[in-house]
Amino acid sequence: MRIVIVTIFPELFVPFLETSLLGRAIQKKLMEVDVRQLRDFTDDAHRVVDDEPYGGGGGMVMKAEPWIRAVRELSVPGKTRRVMLSPRGRRLDDAKIRELASRPELLLLCGRYEGIDERVRKTVVDEEISIGDYVLSGGEVAAMVLTEAVSRQIPAVIGDPASVENESFRNGLLDYPQYTRPAVVEGLEVPEVLLSGHHAEIARWRKGQALRATREKRPDLLAGSAAEEGGPSSD
Ligand code: ADE
């Protein structure tokens, strides 16, 4: 898959795209990420991308024309899904990540300041996505969140596909707790079942722990789901 990111701060993405799993995936051409400077799509000597808001109020608004020009030039109609990152968007979740990962190409618009002129959304954006109910200084970090989560849906990016299958949200539950050596830390022992080698028992314990964690921390995920059936087992 290919992801095009449009921003006024392309340099923010350099270490992000060179490091760890994502860096390796890009190097191996399992995915392509192209970061573009919005200012390259201005037509004035000062490469201005913002202006004062109509109607007054504080801050600056990103001008429509550079964005419209950039999106039209960098996307392919009928192929590219054009996503604006903004706190006014629908909240990102695992289902949306999977849907976006199934598309051949994404174009991510990273806004700054008080937002982007509404006519951009109306003319060249397919959907507006927020990564949570808080306001960032711009869409860049949100675009990184989306890019990393989408990359994990490409089986070859993750060495072990089972780790994606088992992780939080995939079955509507938070993940079960993990332990590694040493067997005792600060007087806390690894639950005995994990040392037993009994795979069925371990699977049952993990399911119970996942249910317990979800019930305690994210009961909203359980509302109306079938995951509760059977109930959790004890520690
Ligand atoms: N830009 C600023 N805040 C944001 C958020 N919560 N999600 C996505 N983009 C943003």
Side-chain angles (χ1 to χ4, degrees):
M1 92 167 305
R2 179 163 187 263
I3 302 180
V4 181
I5 299 170
V6 186
T7 169
I8 55 168
F9 295 121
E11 65 275 18
L12 277 178
F13 291 86
V14 174
F16 171 68
L17 295 173
E18 285 178 351
T19 308
S20 189
L21 285 183
L22 197 52
R24 208 168 332 134
I26 291 167
Q27 214 171 27
K28 286 194 196 162
K29 303 204 184 312
L30 298 174
M31 65 188 291
E32 186 186 342
V33 183
D34 191 6
V35 183
R36 303 296 295 256
Q37 169 59 265
L38 176 70
R39 292 188 197 279
D40 291 345
F41 298 88
T42 54
D43 60 2
D44 63 302
H46 296 103
R47 294 158 54 92
V48 173
V49 292
D50 61 333
D51 205 338
E52 291 164 358
Y54 275 118
M60 299 292 269
V61 175
M62 294 192 103
K63 293 164 69 63
E65 303 99 308
W67 278 112
I68 293 173
R69 213 173 285 133
V71 174
R72 291 215 168 114
E73 225 168 276
L74 298 173
S75 62
V76 182
K79 178 181 177 191
T80 312
R81 186 73 176 168
R82 302 161 305 178
V83 178
M84 178 187 281
L85 283 318
S86 142
R88 296 180 65 216
R90 283 192 43 195
R91 200 159 63 200
L92 187 61
D93 61 13
D94 188 55
K96 175 55 73 179
I97 287 296
R98 277 186 272 172
E99 188 227 301
L100 292 174
S102 73
R103 296 180 181 273
E105 186 163 300
L106 304 176
L107 186 143
L108 309 181
L109 294 76
C110 306
R112 281 265 149 184
Y113 314 120
E114 297 309 308
I116 300 177
D117 188 304
E118 179 69 0
R119 290 162 294 188
V120 174
R121 191 186 63 76
K122 286 187 168 166
T123 54
V124 294
V125 169
D126 298 308
E127 62 184 307
E128 199 174 0
I129 290 180
S130 164
I131 62 163
D133 294 340
Y134 40 79
V135 179
L136 303 165
S137 302
E140 284 77 9
V141 171
M144 290 183 204
V145 168
L146 195 154
T147 300
E148 185 164 307
V150 161
S151 77
R152 296 179 58 79
Q153 299 303 312
I154 301 170
V157 170
I158 309 296
D160 176 11
S163 70
V164 172
E165 278 316 304
N166 290 334
E167 68 192 8
S168 290
F169 306 115
R170 187 43 38 100
N171 49 14
L173 298 176
L174 300 184
D175 208 355
Y176 49 79
Q178 297 278 17
Y179 293 85
T180 187
R181 280 181 284 263
V184 182
V185 173
E186 300 273 322
L188 296 172
E189 292 179 8
V190 175
E192 216 171 308
V193 62
L194 298 179
L195 306 172
S196 69
H198 195 302
H199 297 303
E201 285 288 318
I202 291 171
R204 192 164 24 202
W205 180 85
R206 285 177 165 167
K207 173 87 191 289
Q209 291 293 314
L211 273 166
R212 171 186 286 196
T214 310
R215 205 177 283 149
E216 280 174 11
K217 292 181 266 189
R218 292 293 307 276
D220 55 301
L221 292 176
L222 291 172
S225 91
E228 282 256 53
E229 281 165 28
S233 59
S234 65
D235 276 318

